[in-house]
Amino acid sequence: MRLLIVEDEKRLARSLAAGLTAEGYAVDVVHDGLEGLHMASEGAYDLLVLDIMLPGMNGYRVCGALRAAGNDVPILMLTAKDGEYDEAEGLDTGADDYLTKPFSYVVLVARVKALLRRRGRTALPVLTVGALTIDQGARTVRRADEDVPLTTKEFAVLEQLALRSGEVVSKSEILEHVWDFAYEGDPNIVEVYVSALRRKLGAATIQTVRGAGYRMVPGV
């Protein structure tokens, strides 16, 4: 899943991004409200972590603009304030949850997972592709009633292919959703993870479409 952090405290933003990346999410970070609104409007994000006090445009206005445009991405608001009015204002503009600084990182991760689970209930989080059952909420995979242990990145790559089962998914699309827009490493890293998935799930499960990308085969 892909998350966007909009936080002008750069040290905090880097820390949150590192922690959430370790949890298996692809994380993008911006430090300005206007840029955050642009990124959230243009990108396919599963959740937005949004500070209230931001340069350019504050978090209330970013949240309000997204909701006015019909964007229903889950939004977790962060703020150094702790008054009831601030919380009420944040929720009134359409935020889904609210966390006051300083906060425990463990609590933030729990809130993020809860919001993603809540959204997953309406998004059919269990995918079935052939003999595979992929539970997006629990992040587990079963094949013919046997558990298949996957790393967080392996699961994320499989998830992107399963969501578009039968379609060709390009390497750049997988990179964008599983890593992040700023990834500057070797794009062939995708091939490494696809090879690992084939070893665990069967070589015929994922086809290579030369010059185009990869396709998950529903009937396998």
Side-chain angles (χ1 to χ4, degrees), residues 100-173:
T100 302
K101 301 174 185 176
F103 52 79
S104 160
Y105 173 73
V106 173
V107 171
L108 179 133
V109 171
R111 298 284 186 90
V112 165
K113 290 181 177 179
L115 288 174
L116 291 172
R117 281 197 304 271
R118 190 184 307 168
R119 191 184 204 197
R121 291 193 191 104
T122 61
L124 300 177
V126 177
L127 305 173
T128 301
V129 183
L132 295 179
T133 302
I134 302 161
D135 190 326
Q136 292 178 274
R139 301 182 75 78
T140 58
V141 177
R142 292 179 66 82
R143 180 181 174 89
D145 295 325
E146 291 186 6
D147 290 330
V148 180
L150 299 180
T151 67
T152 53
K153 276 288 191 285
E154 287 170 352
F155 183 90
V157 172
L158 177 65
E159 183 180 39
Q160 289 305 310
L161 293 169
L163 285 167
R164 294 173 55 184
S165 176
E167 300 178 23
V168 177
V169 184
S170 70
K171 188 182 297 183
S172 62
E173 288 175 311

Side-chain angles (χ1 to χ4, degrees), residues 5-8 30-41 48-69 75 77-78 89 93:
I5 297 173
V6 188
E7 168 61 67
D8 65 331
V30 294
H31 307 294
D32 175 274
L34 286 171
E35 189 177 0
L37 176 60
H38 173 74
M39 291 280 289
S41 300
L48 176 60
V49 179
L50 176 65
D51 191 27
I52 289 179
M53 303 303 291
L54 292 166
M57 176 184 283
N58 69 41
Y60 295 137
R61 293 178 60 199
V62 172
C63 183
L66 288 170
R67 296 305 188 232
I75 295 176
M77 274 194 162
L78 306 179
E89 185 173 355
T93 58

